[in-house]
Amino acid sequence: MSGTEKVKGPASYFPSIEKTYGKPIAHWQDIIRAQDGKAHMQIVAFLKETHGLGHGHANALVAATLTERKS
């Protein structure tokens, strides 16, 4: 991807997530991967309740991370 292309989809939230919560995306993805066997919305709820993430940020992280499983 060139520097002029705009990031789309869940990854477009990543800069805001890192700025807001002070942790790299890899930190959140490790937490999500440890929730193996749970459904998307269960993981979103876990991130919101346990780590204080907003719904949009949690949803974007889970969507991007769970997409890896399908690849």
Side-chain angles (χ1 to χ4, degrees), residues 10-70:
S12 67
Y13 286 86
F14 288 1
S16 177
I17 293 168
E18 289 180 333
K19 181 179 178 184
T20 301
Y21 305 103
K23 302 281 187 189
I25 296 305
H27 167 82
W28 301 112
Q29 290 179 320
D30 288 344
I31 291 170
I32 292 164
R33 289 182 193 113
Q35 304 303 307
D36 194 40
K38 292 186 180 174
H40 179 110
M41 290 309 295
Q42 288 176 309
I43 302 171
V44 169
F46 169 78
L47 291 172
K48 290 168 61 176
E49 293 165 10
T50 307
H51 298 282
L53 271 70
H55 181 82
H57 286 164
N59 192 52
L61 284 165
V62 174
T65 305
L66 294 186
T67 298
E68 297 172 351
R69 291 181 187 171
K70 297 174 184 173

Side-chain angles (χ1 to χ4, degrees), residues 1-9 11-13 15:
M1 181 183 319
S2 73
T4 59
E5 290 182 39
K6 186 168 175 74
V7 176
K8 297 179 182 178
S12 67
Y13 286 86

